[in-house]
Each structure stands twice: as C-alpha cells, then as structure tokens.
Amino acid sequence: MTDYKSKLIELLKNNNVIKFGKFTLSSGKESDYYVDMKKAITEPEILECVAHLITEEIKDDNINKIAGPALGAVPIATATSLISKKPMLMIRKEKKSYGTSKQIEGELLENDNVVIVEDVTTTGGSLLKAIKVIEENGGNITQAFVIVDREEGAQETFEENNVEFKPLLTISEFRQYLDE
C-alpha cells in the first residue's frame, strides 16, 4: 500500500467520511454504511491526497485531460489537474439551454486521451453517462478513477463497457483497515 493510500484511509477515517449504522440511500435502498463524499471533497488534505494517488497512476500514460462530472467530481478533477499539470474538463448532467449550449466545459479535442474521476460509485451508471458524453464528443476514456467504490456493480458495469476502472479504495478495504 502506498503512503498516499494509507494517508487517504486515515483521512477518511479521521474526518468521519464513511459512517456505519442504518442509512437510506438516495436510491431508497437501505445500507449499513454511508459514504459522505461531499464532506471529503471539501477537505484540502483529502483532495490533495486523492490527486497525488491519481497522478501517480497516470504519470507514465499519454493523458491529455482530466474530466469530472458535475458536481461531486469537479473538485477532484481540479485538484488532479493542478498536481498532474493536465487541463481539466467539467461534464454537465445535461447541455446548457443558454449561451454556448455546451455539455462539456473545457477544451476537448478529437482523440484526446481522457481520465475521468468521480467521488463514489455504486453501480457506476451515472459515471458511465459522463463517459458516453466524452466519447460522443471525440474523446477517448483511458481510465475511470473513483475515491470509494461501494462494490455494488460498478466494476462489472465498466468491464461490460470496456472501461478500465480504478477505485482508490473499496468499501471492503476500508472495513478491513478498521478491523486491523
């Protein structure tokens, strides 16, 4: 385990980002834990750690852009852009109905190699929608990074869609760390 990964686990634990108990998720589903990533992505130390972990993974790759869907992934994309010195893209949930009517903010060129980032995944469905927007606009998604994978189908979703999925941390790893 890298120093940054150990640090990330400690920071998530110390900032009470992953809470255990009884929770109702936005899907209506019951869960014995809740990942409060909005709390995490507003903490500079966590963002910096995440950005270093992603930058370490991509430093030898031919990456042109770092992309993040609005809202949760924008701070992650920003921090990673700052550390990696790669320009970033922000992906809106839908096209603007005014001005330039863009769904992607930032300059995506034909055949740009793009890494997409996200805060937390469950099934991976919402991140897959953002990936499709990049691809439909000429970009190539090389990898999808997520801070925490809830391990509820995202891995399978990305495998089915031929996207390399790289969670920085899975909920199983976090639980294992707590049990040590």
Side-chain angles (χ1 to χ4, degrees):
M1 187 179 314
T2 69
D3 290 343
Y4 282 116
K5 184 158 182 171
S6 300
K7 184 177 179 182
L8 176 62
I9 292 169
E10 275 298 315
L11 287 167
L12 295 177
K13 178 178 167 258
N14 294 343
N15 284 278
N16 202 24
V17 170
I18 302 175
K19 303 167 182 8
F20 293 93
K22 187 174 179 165
F23 301 94
T24 302
L25 305 177
S26 60
S27 64
K29 184 179 164 188
E30 297 277 321
S31 179
D32 67 345
Y33 67 95
Y34 180 71
V35 183
D36 188 359
M37 288 311 287
K38 299 310 180 257
K39 183 175 185 178
I41 61 170
T42 57
E43 287 294 327
E45 204 173 2
I46 294 174
L47 279 173
E48 181 181 37
C49 186
V50 165
H52 278 287
L53 278 166
I54 295 170
T55 299
E56 279 180 2
E57 288 280 331
I58 66 170
K59 70 178 183 241
D60 297 327
D61 298 342
N62 180 25
I63 303 301
N64 304 108
K65 305 283 171 23
I66 308 294
L71 174 73
V74 171
I76 302 163
T78 303
T80 305
S81 174
L82 287 167
I83 299 295
S84 69
K85 305 296 187 235
K86 304 282 183 193
M88 67 173 275
L89 306 168
M90 293 180 284
I91 306 153
R92 296 174 182 275
K93 292 193 188 315
E94 51 195 48
K95 282 186 179 183
K96 292 192 315 184
S97 60
Y98 57 91
T100 57
S101 302
K102 288 193 220 172
Q103 191 166 3
I104 300 172
E105 296 296 338
E107 187 178 13
L108 177 64
L109 303 175
E110 189 74 26
N111 293 316
D112 266 353
N113 290 326
V114 181
V115 166
I116 195 163
V117 297
E118 182 63 287
D119 54 2
V120 63
T121 53
T122 302
T123 64
S126 60
L127 187 55
L128 192 59
K129 287 178 188 169
I131 288 169
K132 298 288 185 212
V133 170
I134 295 288
E135 292 174 341
E136 287 165 5
N137 285 277
N140 305 315
I141 294 291
T142 62
Q143 297 161 318
F145 286 90
V146 63
I147 298 175
V148 178
D149 177 22
R150 292 179 55 89
E151 297 177 295
E152 295 181 30
Q155 184 72 49
E156 294 78 8
T157 297
F158 293 114
E159 280 174 12
E160 289 165 10
N161 288 276
N162 297 315
V163 174
E164 187 177 357
F165 180 57
K166 293 195 166 185
L168 301 181
L169 185 66
T170 64
I171 198 64
S172 297
E173 288 174 310
F174 189 76
R175 287 183 196 265
Q176 183 180 359
Y177 173 81
L178 292 179
D179 291 341
E180 289 177 356

